[in-house]
Amino acid sequence: MRALISVSDKSGVVQFAKELESLGYEIISTGGTYKVLKENGIKVVEASEVTKFPECFEGRVKTLNPYIHGGILYRRDKQSHLDEAKELGIKGIDLVCVNLYPFKETIQKTDDFEEIIENIDIGGPAMVRSAAKNFDSVIIVTDVKDYDEVIDRLKSDNNTLEFRRDLMIKAYEHTASYDSMIANYMNKRFHGGFGKKQFIVGEKVFDTRYGENPHQKGALYQFDKQFSKKFITIKGEASFNNLTDISGAAKIASAFGDENAVCIVKHGNPCGFAIKDSLLESYTEALKCDPISAFGGVVAVNGIVELELAKKMNEIFLEVVFAADFSDEAVEELSKKKRIKLFKQGTKRLELSNDAFNFKIVDGGFVYQDSDCVDDSEVLDATCQTKKEASAQEKKDMLIAYKVAALTKSNCVVYVKNSAMVAVGMGMTSRVDAAKAAIRKAEDLGLDIKGSALASEAFFPFRDSIDEAAKVGVSCVIEPGGSIRDDEVIQAANEHGMSLYFSGKRHFLH
């Protein structure tokens, strides 16, 4: 039996090779792996001895040879293959252990294109694909985490076809993601990230019990381990819908740096938000915006949940609390509710991955785009269009309203007063309907909108939304501007004694 080992990530490889050697495998290796194995006392054969041809072109060609690929690929169940292998002097290779050149690590550390090119693996993927194709007879190992199981199965004579098949699937996933990463990088470098092909690769974290509904299957996949690094389960199982709501709530709560931000979300939309001197006060004020919708909702806390906040949360039914962290006492208190689910990041403040792109499914395909982001300067540098300018507190309220609006389904308007959201209208087919819906809900709850700041994620096409805002005493408005009727909107704001600011940037969210 022979095993070919050629790895870039050499963790655990010496022990793996020693175990294979003890099981009677002859070890073949290349380059740096050969050197490491030889230095550690393993009787290893250099690939060039097998190929009868030296490594050449600065190591670019080492294993691309019939004595390697023939040994991997010939079928052990076909006599014609066995005869031909004997005639050609090709000996079987029964196990291939390969992981690929560190392309991702290279593009993260340098922009030197020559170095990047040299870290594109050629022989490695070829060997992986060859071994995977012949999984009926050959074991392909591409993950260091599989070393122990491979050895255990060989020792217990449990090297089943099903096991080799699973390793085969993992191998093709490995080469597919590697090639996708290279193609995406090249398109980003030379075509602005929008080439003729777009590859979206995710790694499964876990299956959800079901999808949006019980008759649908569902699972969570992550980019570059970004999710699992920042999602720790304390209590409960995150459902498909929980995950989308947590993401939406966390995006809003984390958008305010070190502020004590708390966001409550129901079905993907914010129904409460506040920033106060403490997280307890922030949650209390956020809950006032719409306590009816908050029932069974998802709460994101930009900080550490302590006991008093946990007690306040337990006054109603919340399905999920996602926070930077929890004190032990808070976990004990919240766990008194059997159905509540608790997740954390294990940090002091929420830290999102801020993915550089996003995409949405359309029938027969997907639309792909750069991620939208909101910079504080859009509000801080917004131009005042009216005679009246906003006060310092109004500007702070505008900033909060503007950021929340940018992360809320269009058409939307957000009203903020004293750093707490007091009304929100979202997902409406007209902006004035969003304004009216928000006002009506606030009035039903007895909330005072007078003196609030109003933000819209896109321009007001008519003055009617301004007129509606004036009726409830809105003091200042921020919107992108850009309507052919901007003059009418400005005139309306002046007539009502409001301050009106244009940011110059739209933030649709469909």
Side-chain angles (χ1 to χ4, degrees):
M1 296 180 294
R2 297 198 303 172
L4 192 155
I5 303 176
S6 179
V7 293
S8 291
D9 178 359
K10 295 177 178 56
S11 55
V13 73
V14 171
Q15 183 60 33
F16 184 58
K18 284 181 178 179
E19 294 279 9
L20 289 174
E21 194 173 44
S22 70
L23 289 167
Y25 279 83
E26 179 184 37
I27 308 297
I28 305 165
S29 193
T30 64
T33 308
Y34 169 81
K35 182 179 179 182
V36 168
L37 297 180
K38 190 171 182 64
E39 287 174 350
N40 282 273
I42 294 168
K43 187 178 179 181
V44 59
V45 176
E46 197 164 12
S48 58
E49 294 181 43
V50 175
T51 63
K52 302 178 177 61
F53 205 93
E55 292 186 10
C56 53
F57 307 117
E58 299 179 323
R60 279 190 165 201
V61 178
K62 295 188 283 285
T63 58
L64 297 171
N65 185 283
Y67 284 105
I68 297 293
H69 286 274
I72 297 170
L73 276 166
Y74 80 82
R75 289 181 58 171
R76 279 62 162 175
D77 63 338
K78 293 191 74 170
Q79 190 61 47
S80 61
H81 281 219
L82 295 170
D83 293 343
E84 190 171 1
K86 184 176 181 179
E87 180 184 344
L88 295 172
I90 292 174
K91 295 180 181 179
I93 295 174
D94 308 291
L95 184 149
V96 173
C97 176
V98 170
N99 55 58
L100 309 178
Y101 287 1
F103 183 82
K104 184 181 79 172
E105 291 79 4
T106 303
I107 61 176
Q108 288 175 339
K109 72 178 183 180
T110 184
D111 194 46
D112 184 338
F113 194 59
E114 184 174 347
E115 184 177 350
I116 289 167
I117 288 291
E118 290 308 314
N119 277 278
I120 296 175
D121 206 329
I122 303 301
M127 287 189 290
V128 170
R129 290 172 63 84
S130 292
K133 179 173 181 174
N134 205 21
F135 74 95
D136 189 62
S137 303
V138 179
I139 301 172
I140 174 60
V141 186
T142 57
D143 188 344
V144 298
K145 295 176 183 176
D146 291 328
Y147 289 175
D148 289 343
E149 185 176 5
V150 169
I151 296 300
D152 288 345
R153 283 179 173 269
L154 290 173
K155 285 182 176 180
S156 61
D157 196 25
N158 193 27
N159 174 24
T160 64
L161 177 64
E162 290 75 19
F163 176 60
R164 295 195 301 277
R165 181 194 61 201
D166 288 342
L167 291 178
M168 172 269 290
I169 294 170
K170 179 180 275 192
Y172 283 125
E173 289 174 341
H174 186 53
T175 56
S177 62
Y178 189 77
D179 285 340
S180 296
M181 176 172 53
I182 295 169
N184 283 346
Y185 170 80
M186 295 302 176
N187 271 323
K188 181 179 179 181
R189 184 165 186 136
F190 299 110
H191 295 136
F194 290 82
K196 291 185 178 180
K197 301 282 186 182
Q198 190 64 252
F199 298 98
I200 298 168
V201 179
E203 176 187 11
K204 184 188 276 189
V205 183
F206 54 77
D207 290 310
T208 55
R209 188 177 299 177
Y210 49 80
E212 284 184 288
N213 300 289
H215 61 276
Q216 296 170 270
K217 290 183 179 179
L220 170 71
Y221 292 82
Q222 66 180 342
F223 302 126
D224 194 26
K225 303 189 184 302
Q226 288 301 305
F227 182 90
S228 56
K229 288 178 183 176
K230 298 176 179 178
F231 193 87
I232 301 168
T233 298
I234 299 174
K235 179 180 181 293
E237 177 185 1
S239 71
F240 185 100
N241 293 329
N242 290 159
L243 291 165
T244 58
D245 283 348
I246 289 168
S247 179
K251 283 181 180 179
I252 296 175
S254 67
F256 297 88
D258 289 333
E259 299 270 20
N260 292 317
V262 173
C263 182
I264 308 172
V265 159
K266 190 69 169 291
H267 297 312
N269 286 309
C271 58
F273 179 85
I275 297 174
K276 293 293 183 177
D277 292 336
S278 70
L279 289 170
L280 173 59
E281 188 180 358
S282 295
Y283 172 75
T284 302
E285 291 301 311
L287 187 62
K288 290 178 181 178
C289 181
D290 189 352
I292 298 170
S293 295
F295 186 87
V298 171
V299 180
V301 179
N302 190 35
I304 300 172
V305 177
E306 302 286 357
L307 179 59
E308 289 306 309
L309 175 53
K311 288 180 177 179
K312 181 66 178 176
M313 287 177 165
N314 263 354
E315 291 178 3
I316 68 168
F317 167 59
L318 296 172
E319 184 166 359
V320 174
V321 180
F322 178 66
D325 212 335
F326 296 82
S327 70
D328 292 341
E329 295 82 4
V331 171
E332 183 179 355
E333 172 65 26
L334 288 166
S335 296
K336 292 176 181 178
K337 293 290 183 79
K338 291 183 179 180
R339 292 169 60 193
I340 199 168
K341 303 174 184 180
L342 306 176
F343 309 98
K344 70 175 185 177
Q345 286 194 335
T347 53
K348 291 183 178 179
R349 296 289 184 183
L350 292 177
E351 300 171 2
L352 266 62
S353 300
N354 295 317
D355 299 312
F357 64 89
N358 63 47
F359 59 96
K360 297 178 182 179
I361 300 298
V362 297
D363 190 32
F366 61 89
V367 287
Y368 178 96
Q369 64 179 352
D370 296 328
S371 290
D372 190 19
C373 61
V374 185
D375 194 279
D376 288 7
S377 63
E378 292 176 38
V379 177
L380 300 177
D381 298 336
T383 56
C384 184
Q385 305 294 318
T386 51
K387 297 173 184 177
K388 180 190 173 187
E389 293 191 2
S391 67
Q393 180 60 51
E394 288 171 337
K395 286 182 178 178
K396 184 175 182 179
D397 289 345
M398 281 199 300
L399 177 61
I400 294 171
Y402 186 82
K403 281 190 169 184
V404 173
L407 293 164
T408 301
K409 292 288 187 181
S410 300
N411 289 315
C412 82
V413 289
V414 175
Y415 299 76
V416 170
K417 182 178 180 179
N418 295 327
S419 302
M421 188 169 74
V422 290
V424 58
M426 78 289 283
M428 307 296 285
T429 52
S430 79
R431 204 158 299 280
V432 69
D433 283 346
K436 289 178 178 178
I439 292 167
R440 183 171 62 252
K441 189 69 173 281
E443 288 174 345
D444 290 344
L445 292 168
L447 297 174
D448 182 14
I449 303 178
K450 187 176 181 180
S452 64
L454 168 64
S456 172
E457 91 291 3
F459 65 65
F460 290 113
F462 304 98
R463 63 171 287 163
D464 49 9
S465 294
I466 301 295
D467 293 332
E468 291 297 323
K471 291 177 184 177
V472 293
V474 168
S475 63
C476 60
V477 177
I478 184 165
E479 51 131 318
S483 168
I484 59 173
R485 294 183 178 86
D486 274 348
D487 289 344
E488 295 176 22
V489 174
I490 294 168
Q491 181 181 343
N494 275 320
E495 287 175 10
H496 297 302
M498 295 179 184
S499 55
L500 172 65
Y501 288 77
F502 285 176
S503 69
K505 184 175 283 190
R506 187 186 76 187
H507 291 284
F508 272 158
L509 179 62
H510 288 101

